[in-house]
Each structure stands twice: as C-alpha cells, then as structure tokens.
Amino acid sequence: MAQAQSAAGGAAPLLSVRDLAVHFPAGRRAGRPVVVKAVDGVSFDLERGRTLAIVGESGSGKTTTALSVLRLSEPTSGSIHFDGQDLTALRGEPLRKMRRRLQLVFQDPYSSLNPRQRAGDIVRAPLDLMGIDPPGGREARVAQMFELVGLRPEQRTMFPHQFSGGQRQRLNVARALASAPDLIVCDEPVSALDIAIRAQILNLLRRIQREQGQSFLFISHDMAVVEHICDDIAVMYLGKIIERASRRAFFTRPLHPYSVALMSAVPTVKGGREVAARRVRLSGDPPSPVDPPPGCRFAGRCPAAAPACSEREPPLREVAPGHSVACHFVAVRDGAVTAPL
Ligand SMILES: Nc1ncnc2c1ncn2[C@@H]1O[C@H](COP(=O)(O)OP(=O)(O)OP(=O)(O)O)[C@@H](O)[C@H]1O
Ligand code: SF4
Ligand SMILES: [Mg+2]
C-alpha cells in the first residue's frame, strides 16, 4: 500500500475528517424549518492499519458519521479526506473506483444478505458489480475469502438461512473483504450476536487486520466490545465528539464526565470497577438534536455541571499527547491533568 507522507514527515492518516456536519431537514414547526443536527462538527483521523472506535448512546450520530464517510449520506459541510483525496468532491467514475476501497459490515447479518442468493454469489457480487478482476479470477477470490473467514468451501452453495448468526456475520465480512478494501466500516457488527459468538467475530476481525493491514472504523455502544477491539476511541454525544484518546489512556482514565458515566455502567471493562466505584449514574435521555442546548450539550445530565457550563460550549482540547476532551473543568495543572469526576 502506498503511504502518503504528512507535512511532518510521518505517514499521513488514511482517513481525515474535519468539521463534518450532517443536518437533515425534518419538515416545519410553527412556520420554521426543523433541522435534525445528527452530526454537528466532528473531526478525527484514522491511521493506517488501526481501529478507531466511535462510541456513544443511541442517536448520538455514530451511524450518520459512518455513512458520510462511505458517501452514503451527504455531508452538509466539512471535509472527508481518504488517502489524500477529498471524498466529498468525487463524482462518477473516480467515486466508483474509490468505493471498492471502502466497505461496510452492518449490525444485522441477516437483513443485509439477499436470502435468495447463494453464499458464494453473495461474496462474489461486489466483484461483479464493480468490475474487479483479481489475480486468479473472481471464483478464486471467493474461495480465498471463505477460507480467510473460516467458512468451508462447500458452504458456497448454501443460502443465508442455512447459516447460524455467527456464520452469517462471517459471510458479511467475506463480502466486505472481497474487493480488498483499505477501510472497513463496522457498524455494531456484533450487537445482534450471542455473547459467545461475539468474541469469535471480534477475534476474526483482529486477525484479518493483523494479516492484511486494513483500517477499521468500528461503531459500537458497548464499551466491553470496544475495549477488546480498538486502538483509539472517540466518544460522541449529541452529534459531537466529546473525548478522543488511545485505548490505553481512555480505559486507564476517562476524563469527560460522560465517558466516566458510560464506563461506570460497564463494570466488566478493565478499570471499569474503579470507575464504577465513583457511581456516576447516567439518568434521563440526551436532549433533542433538533434544538441542542447552548453551552455544553451534556450539562443537563452532568453531575459536575456549573452555571457557566450552559453558557459557553467547551471546545475539544488536547490535554495530554493524543488525548482530547471537551469539558470546561478538565485542566492541566503543574503538568498533571485534573478532571471533575
Ligand atoms: N435520514 C434521517 N432523517 C432525519 N433524521 C435522521 C436521519 N438519520 C438519522 N437521523 C437522526 O439523527 C440522529 C443520529 O442518528 P444516528 O443513526 O446517526 O445515531 P446512532 O448513534 O447511530 O444511534 P444508534 O446507536 O441507535 O444506532 C438521531 O436523532 C436520528 O433520529
Ligand atoms: S463542561 Fe460542565 S456540564 Fe459539560 S461535561 Fe464539563 S462539567 Fe459537565
Ligand atoms: Mg447507529
């Protein structure tokens, strides 16, 4: 894989998203247009061969962010650079060519498979659709993908309903990998699976990444899953990223009150027990993305909120190398980071 160089001389990120906004028109109320601000100013980088997890509660904008990266949802503003090219500016043939490098694995392994298509044809379909002729031919590529994800060659003639849930997700992964993409977006890929099968699929994804070097944008609301799979993490709340860190830094010490609350809800994650001891309960629902509150969007649910929090919006600031957080009360004093919870 050709590695672009950044201005600083290191390898440039594979994916670079800046100030992404995705606003959906949703009719009119009291004579004024209603706009759902699903994603409202999101920036992040995804390095080559790494996994960035995007976590957050339902409705925080994770899927909309992912769909924009895949050009399946049109951004309202902002830029998305993939391997140095602005994806939002691509149209026609260049966009078609680019699509083979970006693939998606959905949450529900059944509804995303054509029930009348045989498994081998499902995996072959993207090659036919995009006119890709891999060395050795399309059928050889399909066989290779079956082997890679741990499906047996004779299963190529079976239909989706003849597979178990875990096997169907393996089939989805095989289909996503067929076009040899550089980036795979996984949107809650194990949420619909039994706990026992989850680890198998996560381990499969990790092994594939180790062997083939793809980058994963991994979307999940499950901290235990994220801890298992990611290198870096971005926490979303109501259309914004409120904390971004390496897995190690985040799971050692989450800094944003919302991150602490998410972690205390999952005592099984490493460090979760200590965080849980702080007993930060997340009550109520996030506000509406139609009229996000002024100031900090988490203020209405934050145990550390002060009056000033609702007046000014906290920017996402780097408080330690690679660790950024959007909270007025996370500070650096004498080289040490202090947090409100
Ligand atoms: N096409 C659309 N039109 C209008 N509103 C939308 C559209 N798609 C998403 N939304 C809204 O945007 C917000 C973010 O939705 P999104 O699906 O991105 O959240 P999510 O974080 O993926 O949630 P979940 O964990 O439930 O999958 C939600 O309030 C949702 O209702
Ligand atoms: S800015 Fe205020 S309300 Fe927002 S997370 Fe920090 S302490 Fe809580
Ligand atoms: Mg979603």
Side-chain angles (χ1 to χ4, degrees):
M1 196 188 301
Q3 299 252 315
Q5 297 291 304
S6 71
L14 179 67
L15 179 70
S16 197
V17 173
R18 289 293 171 272
D19 302 318
L20 177 70
V22 186
H23 295 176
F24 297 110
R28 299 180 79 82
R29 197 188 296 153
R32 292 177 48 198
V34 174
V35 176
V36 180
K37 295 174 179 163
V39 178
D40 205 18
V42 155
S43 301
F44 62 86
D45 287 338
L46 171 56
E47 310 295 335
R48 291 162 200 271
R50 287 176 76 88
T51 298
L52 171 70
I54 300 185
V55 301
E57 282 167 291
S58 185
S60 54
K62 307 181 296 294
T63 294
T64 308
T65 302
L67 293 180
S68 304
V69 166
L70 295 166
R71 282 290 307 268
L72 298 172
S73 185
E74 212 45 50
T76 308
S77 57
S79 68
I80 302 169
H81 281 85
F82 177 79
D83 204 8
Q85 287 198 64
D86 185 356
L87 279 186
T88 57
L90 288 185
R91 305 275 182 277
E93 185 59 18
L95 177 60
R96 211 177 65 86
K97 280 217 169 97
M98 190 58 94
R99 279 202 193 283
R100 67 159 77 173
R101 302 181 59 191
L102 305 147
Q103 289 295 325
L104 174 64
V105 174
F106 292 98
Q107 169 174 5
D108 182 347
Y110 198 53
S111 68
S112 52
L113 298 170
N114 180 346
R116 283 181 294 277
Q117 221 175 9
R118 292 182 192 275
D121 296 335
I122 287 173
V123 174
R124 186 189 156 116
L127 304 177
D128 293 338
L129 201 69
M130 293 188 264
I132 299 170
D133 288 303
R138 294 179 189 170
E139 281 307 308
R141 179 80 183 157
V142 172
Q144 221 180 6
M145 292 302 102
F146 266 63
E147 193 182 341
L148 185 67
V149 302
L151 292 171
R152 297 190 306 279
E154 64 272 20
Q155 290 177 301
R156 286 163 62 177
T157 55
M158 288 166 57
F159 291 98
H161 74 268
Q162 295 172 295
F163 289 88
S164 68
Q167 286 176 331
R168 278 199 286 267
Q169 200 53 305
R170 285 176 194 269
L171 198 54
N172 262 325
V173 172
R175 176 177 59 179
L177 285 166
S179 66
D182 299 303
L183 171 65
I184 302 184
V185 174
C186 303
D187 191 353
E188 305 270 11
V190 296
S191 308
L193 302 177
D194 293 342
I195 299 257
I197 307 296
R198 279 184 195 176
Q200 289 178 16
I201 298 295
L202 293 175
N203 290 339
L204 170 71
L205 291 172
R206 274 161 55 124
R207 175 171 63 76
I208 287 169
Q209 185 177 52
R210 243 190 347 262
E211 289 172 5
Q212 313 220 344
Q214 287 94 354
S215 304
F216 289 141
L217 189 59
F218 192 96
I219 294 186
S220 179
H221 64 273
D222 186 332
M223 283 291 186
V225 164
V226 162
E227 196 201 10
H228 196 79
I229 192 98
C230 78
D231 298 302
D232 302 290
I233 184 164
V235 183
M236 281 190 80
Y237 188 79
L238 206 62
K240 298 235 179 226
I241 291 177
I242 53 90
E243 184 160 3
R244 205 175 51 208
S246 68
R247 174 181 60 167
R248 192 186 159 85
F250 185 84
F251 284 97
T252 306
R253 189 181 174 211
L255 296 173
H256 194 285
Y258 178 62
S259 307
V260 174
L262 283 183
M263 288 265 278
S264 26
V266 194
T268 50
V269 300
K270 194 171 61 191
R273 250 178 274 278
E274 290 83 68
V275 174
R278 292 185 237 163
R279 283 198 194 85
V280 183
R281 297 220 188 286
L282 202 52
S283 58
D285 293 317
S288 160
V290 172
D291 278 314
C296 174
R297 294 179 177 204
F298 188 53
R301 302 167 83 195
C302 178
C309 297
S310 301
E311 288 163 16
R312 274 185 311 119
E313 185 167 347
L316 191 65
R317 287 174 299 128
E318 192 170 52
V319 293
H323 197 154
S324 301
V325 59
C327 169
H328 291 309
F329 292 103
V330 174
V332 185
R333 282 199 194 95
D334 302 327
V337 179
T338 58
L341 296 179

